[in-house]
Amino acid sequence: MPPAPLDNGQLATALRPFGESRMLPPAAYTSAEVFTWEREHFFGGGWTCAGHASQLPAAGDQIAVGTGAGSALIVRGDDMTLRAFANTCRHRGHELLPCGGPAGNGRATNARAIICPYHSWAYTLKGELRGAPGYKGLTASEWSLRELPAAEWHGLVFVDGSGGAAGPLPLAALDELVAPYEPERLVVAATHVYDAASNWKILTENYHECYHCPTIHPELCSVSPPHSGANYETTGSWIGGWMSLRDGAATMSLDGSSGGVPLRGLSATALREVIYVGIFPNVLLSLHPDYVMTHVLVPEAANRTRITCSWSFAPEAVESPGFDPSYAVDFWDLTNRQDWSACESVQRGLASPFAAPGPLAPDEDAVYSFVTTVARGYLGERIGEWRASHVQAAASSE
């Protein structure tokens, strides 16, 4: 892919060894031209998360999501297979469904076919042309919808907006870390949608460090030591690390108590940790002993991001009398808003003519991994799964 419209010298500075490098240049967070490049190449040129598979539980369920400059229609077929198509009618290009779904400004639907709302061209749930009013002789082989690669991964839906250029979903190495939590089995019990006046990368960088926690997160620090844990030495398609729970705390909540049940199959070590993973470019996956929290980021502009945050619990917890997810939701809603406020201030500060790339603290090694992944992408490298020479597997959980 072509390089981003940024100064190569500043990107080279960001790629220096950890301890010598600097952050990305301010234009990476404020430039409309850079944002346009990112929409095309980061969000439209490879795999991005479209949301939870639970949004499409039944045959005929349909939802549309943005994929860079375009959008994708995601459909659950009669065979229960999830498929994605370019969200554009083959007749005049009208969107087949508005973007957004239940958490956004669009809508989801359920139907036995895909029907264009403009001139009623109809397609099967496999995308084959079924009817075109007033036309004769149009063949399905020529006028069917353009299919895009789609994949379900631990309850999340991913779509490759490039049409396949990105290759297979590159998350195999993350499976062993995530699989014990069985996110695909869990039930989404709460969802919040936030609109942050911040660049998506600032939000992701903030997620990957707790250097700021003693300053703005007193509630978090009361249940999890801010300097605990370690980061996995990986970079590319995913980056992450873990933190410990304090003695007496069962999970991340305002008082450390859990209103749910421990997720089955977790080791004794996993029951005392919280794992934080960022999947490039738009998923933040937080694995707790008793629930999984997911942030899906949708960049709206260089300085604005829509964030859909959901909380999933074991079905036996959700089905128990009196279950209330607020113990987790209230804690993270407060913490989220603290984070968004800080990120919005960073966004305003980076718009200053005096802003310049700063150094990274010793605790910001995961931020370094993210920044260097972005910088390599800006220079034209396709984001893929590659690892540092000394990879920590999930040894902390063994």
Side-chain angles (χ1 to χ4, degrees):
M1 58 188 179
L6 285 165
D7 180 82
N8 283 4
Q10 290 184 314
L11 294 179
T13 301
L15 289 168
R16 289 176 183 170
F18 184 55
E20 303 174 18
S21 70
R22 296 292 183 265
M23 292 295 292
L24 296 168
Y29 307 94
T30 61
S31 165
E33 290 76 15
V34 172
F35 176 74
T36 297
W37 184 95
E38 290 175 341
R39 287 188 70 191
E40 179 179 354
H41 298 289
F42 284 165
F43 290 87
W47 291 100
T48 57
C49 182
H52 276 271
S54 61
Q55 294 175 259
L56 301 110
D61 284 343
Q62 304 173 26
I63 190 171
V65 297
T67 53
S71 61
L73 177 70
I74 304 171
V75 178
R76 181 75 70 183
D78 289 324
D79 56 0
M80 297 304 293
T81 298
L82 205 68
R83 296 179 177 86
F85 307 97
N87 188 29
T88 175
C89 181
R90 296 300 309 278
H91 175 223
R92 295 267 293 280
H94 195 283
E95 290 178 319
L96 300 163
L97 198 67
C99 282
N105 297 320
R107 59 183 176 83
T109 190
N110 181 279
R112 303 301 300 171
I114 301 166
I115 309 293
C116 178
Y118 195 18
H119 296 104
S120 299
W121 277 40
Y123 307 86
T124 70
L125 298 179
K126 291 184 177 181
E128 299 164 340
L129 180 67
R130 193 176 77 177
Y135 284 86
K136 294 181 180 180
L138 297 183
T139 61
S141 60
E142 184 178 4
W143 296 103
S144 293
L145 298 177
R146 171 67 186 275
E147 188 164 1
L148 303 175
E152 292 186 64
W153 183 84
H154 292 296
L156 295 175
V157 178
F158 289 83
V159 177
D160 177 2
S162 72
L169 184 67
L171 296 178
L174 187 55
D175 278 334
E176 71 172 288
L177 200 64
V178 175
Y181 294 82
E182 300 181 290
E184 64 278 9
R185 174 181 176 264
L186 307 185
V187 177
V188 177
T191 300
H192 284 189
V193 180
Y194 303 93
D195 190 3
S198 172
N199 186 273
W200 65 279
K201 297 185 297 298
I202 295 174
L203 297 165
T204 302
E205 290 161 2
N206 175 84
Y207 177 83
H208 281 306
E209 51 95 353
C210 213
Y211 184 39
H212 68 277
C213 291
T215 306
I216 71 169
H217 292 318
E219 295 83 7
L220 185 151
C221 293
S222 72
V223 293
S224 181
H227 300 297
S228 65
N231 291 313
Y232 306 113
E233 294 183 22
T234 63
T235 188
S237 293
W238 66 275
I239 297 161
W242 58 275
M243 292 176 62
S244 300
L245 293 168
R246 290 194 185 276
D247 292 342
T251 191
M252 301 295 275
S253 67
L254 291 171
D255 62 4
S257 66
S258 172
V261 299
L263 301 181
R264 68 184 189 183
L266 295 186
S267 67
T269 300
L271 292 172
R272 304 301 309 152
E273 295 176 348
V274 179
I275 293 175
Y276 301 93
V277 172
I279 301 173
F280 194 87
N282 70 325
V283 181
L284 308 176
L285 189 63
S286 305
L287 307 169
H288 299 71
D290 54 339
Y291 63 93
V292 170
M293 178 177 65
T294 307
H295 294 84
V296 178
L297 280 56
V298 178
E300 304 281 0
N303 62 352
R304 189 164 65 87
T305 306
R306 177 163 55 87
I307 310 146
T308 301
C309 183
S310 59
W311 292 263
S312 302
F313 303 81
E316 55 269 26
V318 175
E319 294 164 4
S320 64
F323 173 74
D324 183 354
S326 64
Y327 77 95
V329 175
D330 290 351
F331 173 86
W332 280 111
D333 181 53
L334 173 63
T335 305
N336 283 339
R337 294 180 189 278
Q338 292 167 341
D339 280 329
W340 309 160
S341 177
C343 292
E344 289 173 347
S345 182
V346 172
Q347 183 72 43
R348 293 189 296 269
L350 288 174
S352 165
F354 301 102
L360 290 99
D363 287 348
E364 295 181 301
D365 49 321
V367 177
Y368 174 77
S369 293
F370 176 73
V371 165
T372 53
T373 295
V374 172
R376 289 186 177 93
Y378 284 156
L379 290 171
E381 291 186 25
R382 181 167 294 281
I383 304 299
E385 186 174 44
W386 64 277
R387 293 181 159 221
S389 56
H390 302 290
V391 176
Q392 279 184 346
S396 62
S397 298
E398 295 177 353

